[in-house]
Amino acid sequence: AIATSGIGDVRLHMTPRGVWCEHAQLTPAKVRLMLNAVQSSRFLTTAQSNELQEDLYGLVSRHQESILAGQVNVDQRLPKRSQQVFDVLDVVSAALAAKRKVEFRYTFTDFSGKPRQIVGDNGDSLRVETPIALYFSENNYYVETYTSTPWRHGIEVMLSRADRMVDVRMSEEPADVGRRVHDLRRSARKRMGESFDMVPGILRHVFLRVRSDNTNLLFDRFGLGLHFGLFEGEAGPSRTALTYLRIPQVSSF
């Protein structure tokens, strides 16, 4: 009766042990993928994560739930202060729309695990800068800003992690305008592709010699547009080749 009922998105399984059905568009493999994403999220509180996981388990049978539970070890790092991060993103988005600067202070986590404000070269911790773009990379949100009066080390374009930004508010000052800001906003996606763990720095031209069995490390990081040449060695995992990259030089802040 179920097989001939025409119920949409249901797949019927008949085995010697019994008969069961599942959502055709939401297989256990897809539920596992969503579970892994929820479990590894650094922006959900423990309560939020547990609630979402229970909701996802409700989409599969009890038998499938027992199989999925604990099947994959998930990298669960230090959780972020999710509401704070989303509040930061809201303020930055509003400032972008209103063409205003943002004001904030930037922090680092000391050896005791407590956040500490970073003081700029002028001795003040307050930063007033023009927002350029928002990024999500390596499970973190980033805010890119521009200022003609650099906060530290003479760098005009900075990437700041949203979870490290505090006292964030929209400034009364209008955002900087001109060719520099215009070009930065247009090239934001390109800069993201050239970044290395979203660490800002002076762009360098680098040649790397890579083993054949390590190319996936570069493809994962920089995409499939890499080109290789000047091969050495016989065909196989140990063969090497040169590739060219444009990546930022890591600097000390």
Side-chain angles (χ1 to χ4, degrees), residues 24-36:
Q25 300 301 319
L26 195 60
T27 63
K30 293 179 180 178
V31 174
R32 180 191 296 112
L33 180 63
M34 290 188 288
L35 278 169
N36 296 160

Side-chain angles (χ1 to χ4, degrees), residues 5 43 60 65 80 83 94 107 165 172 194 211 230 241:
S5 66
F43 297 97
V60 298
E65 178 181 345
K80 305 297 179 187
Q83 189 56 53
T107 66
M165 298 169 63
E172 294 297 327
E194 293 174 342
R211 280 174 54 104
L230 297 176

Side-chain angles (χ1 to χ4, degrees), residues 86-195:
F86 296 138
D87 288 345
V88 169
L89 300 180
D90 286 344
V91 172
V92 175
S93 297
L96 282 166
K99 298 181 179 179
R100 302 258 286 278
K101 293 182 179 180
V102 289
E103 300 179 6
F104 63 97
R105 290 179 168 84
Y106 204 48
T107 66
F108 72 99
T109 303
D110 64 16
F111 291 118
S112 67
K114 296 180 180 179
R116 304 290 185 187
Q117 293 185 9
I118 302 176
V119 178
D121 291 340
N122 63 355
D124 190 359
S125 62
L126 180 65
R127 295 169 60 178
V128 183
E129 300 171 2
T130 297
I132 297 297
L134 294 170
Y135 302 94
F136 183 76
S137 177
E138 300 299 324
N139 216 9
N140 287 300
Y141 284 100
Y142 294 84
V143 179
E144 186 176 50
T145 56
Y146 165 81
T147 176
S148 58
T149 55
W151 172 57
R152 300 185 80 198
H153 308 303
I155 301 175
E156 295 182 339
V157 183
M158 295 285 290
L159 273 173
S160 304
R161 264 181 40 176
D163 60 300
R164 295 175 56 185
M165 298 169 63
V166 298
D167 301 333
V168 184
R169 60 184 180 273
M170 188 189 303
S171 174
E172 294 297 327
E173 296 184 31
D176 292 311
V177 295
R179 174 58 61 181
R180 175 73 163 143
V181 173
H182 176 74
D183 290 344
L184 284 171
R185 287 183 173 147
R186 286 190 59 187
S187 59
R189 189 174 296 275
K190 178 183 177 183
R191 287 195 305 284
M192 184 179 183
E194 293 174 342
S195 68

Side-chain angles (χ1 to χ4, degrees), residues 66-86:
S66 65
I67 294 175
L68 293 175
Q71 198 174 57
V72 177
N73 294 313
V74 178
D75 179 11
Q76 294 178 297
R77 303 179 186 178
L78 179 69
K80 305 297 179 187
R81 292 164 289 181
S82 57
Q83 189 56 53
Q84 175 192 318
V85 171
F86 296 138

Side-chain angles (χ1 to χ4, degrees), residues 195-234:
S195 68
F196 194 79
D197 279 344
M198 299 302 290
V199 176
I202 301 172
L203 202 62
R204 299 299 188 187
H205 303 261
V206 179
F207 287 92
L208 294 179
R209 180 161 290 278
V210 187
R211 280 174 54 104
S212 176
D213 55 355
N214 285 331
T215 53
N216 278 346
L217 297 174
L218 292 180
F219 287 135
D220 288 344
R221 172 62 60 184
F222 300 105
L224 296 174
L226 295 176
H227 298 284
F228 296 89
L230 297 176
F231 297 93
E232 291 185 359
E234 299 180 359

